[in-house]
Amino acid sequence: MRVNVVDHPLVAHKLTVLRDERTDSPTFRRLAEELVTLLAYEATRSVRTEPVRVRTPVAGANGVHLAYPRPLVVPILRAGLGMLEGMTRLVPTAEVGFLGMLRDETTLVASTYADRLPEDATGRQVFVLDPMLATGGTLIAAIELLLARGASDVTAICLLAAPEGLRRLEAAFGGRVDVTVVTAAVDERLNDKGYIVPGLGDAGDRLYGVV
Ligand code: URA
């Protein structure tokens, strides 16, 4: 498994504003999208392309376009939805599937309550959007599901990661080169409620308010 902590002043700046408890939901949503676009730029470095020939007004030129099948983007409901616009702005031709996962708070086992994904994802390059890699349980279940459906590689894009979650992912996928995590920062730890410290609080609540 590869972990890419994106080191860039604009990423650090936007993440700092997201962390700030005074940042309101509209600003949080806009900045989360902008941050995802920057992370997505790194996450798509290995996206498959095909050679293509075009004509400029001056001459013929060799170029590339995204290969088929198109990349598959999978936001994990609900907070992953806040990352979708930032991702599709960069890769507008990507297809989008949705995955709803719930974690049993006592057993910590993740179960699927919504699955709008292709049954057959053979050869697909998949980008999973999940803002907070905390214990890692949900992300492990999502990645296992996508690999079991044939995905050629899975890249998880997370705004923030906890060392505990990264260790669990490493234990699950350590030997594999087809699993990657791209994140803006790895924080200190999880607290006893499963929140990332210092983190940014509950990403779903910060995006959409408390319901
Ligand atoms: N999910 C969140 O939204 N925030 C955390 O800190 C951990 C998990």
Side-chain angles (χ1 to χ4, degrees):
M1 185 182 91
R2 288 180 286 215
V3 179
N4 180 357
V5 183
V6 178
D7 182 16
H8 191 288
L10 288 178
V11 168
H13 169 82
K14 290 177 198 300
L15 178 60
T16 305
V17 185
L18 288 177
R19 290 186 192 279
D20 191 331
E21 63 180 1
R22 294 168 301 181
T23 301
D24 61 15
S25 277
T27 311
F28 191 97
R29 279 200 294 273
R30 181 175 54 75
L31 277 169
E33 283 174 14
E34 290 175 9
L35 181 53
V36 171
T37 303
L38 295 175
L39 297 179
Y41 180 73
E42 288 294 328
T44 50
R45 266 188 195 283
S46 304
V47 75
R48 277 193 292 272
T49 58
E50 290 166 350
V52 66
R53 184 92 184 144
V54 293
R55 273 208 73 76
T56 78
V58 180
N62 293 324
V64 296
H65 65 189
L66 290 190
Y68 288 92
R70 297 292 200 203
L72 179 64
V73 174
V74 180
I76 298 190
L77 306 177
R78 122 182 115 134
L81 278 183
M83 301 171 74
L84 182 57
E85 181 68 28
M87 182 75 194
T88 53
R89 186 174 301 139
L90 199 69
V91 195
T93 55
E95 286 175 21
V96 181
F98 295 91
L99 193 55
M101 303 204 101
L102 271 183
R103 195 174 56 132
D104 185 304
E105 293 305 327
T106 41
T107 64
L108 300 185
V109 175
S111 62
T112 305
Y113 70 87
D115 174 354
R116 301 289 300 198
L117 297 174
E119 274 304 318
D120 181 6
T122 304
R124 304 295 295 262
Q125 289 189 292
V126 184
F127 297 88
V128 176
L129 308 179
D130 194 8
M132 308 298 272
L133 200 182
T135 61
T138 305
L139 206 47
I140 289 172
I143 295 172
E144 280 174 345
L145 179 80
L146 289 157
L147 291 175
R149 294 201 184 170
S152 62
D153 49 274
V154 181
T155 301
I157 303 179
C158 306
L159 302 182
L160 272 180
E164 293 89 335
L166 282 175
R167 279 197 292 272
R168 275 189 72 193
L169 254 80
E170 189 64 41
F173 307 114
R176 306 187 65 134
V177 292
D178 51 0
V179 176
T180 304
V181 175
V182 176
T183 185
V186 179
D187 271 7
E188 286 166 26
R189 61 186 170 86
L190 290 179
N191 69 14
D192 56 1
K193 294 192 170 65
Y195 280 93
I196 298 177
V197 179
L200 49 75
D202 186 302
D205 290 352
R206 300 283 315 267
L207 282 162
Y208 303 118
V210 185
V211 286

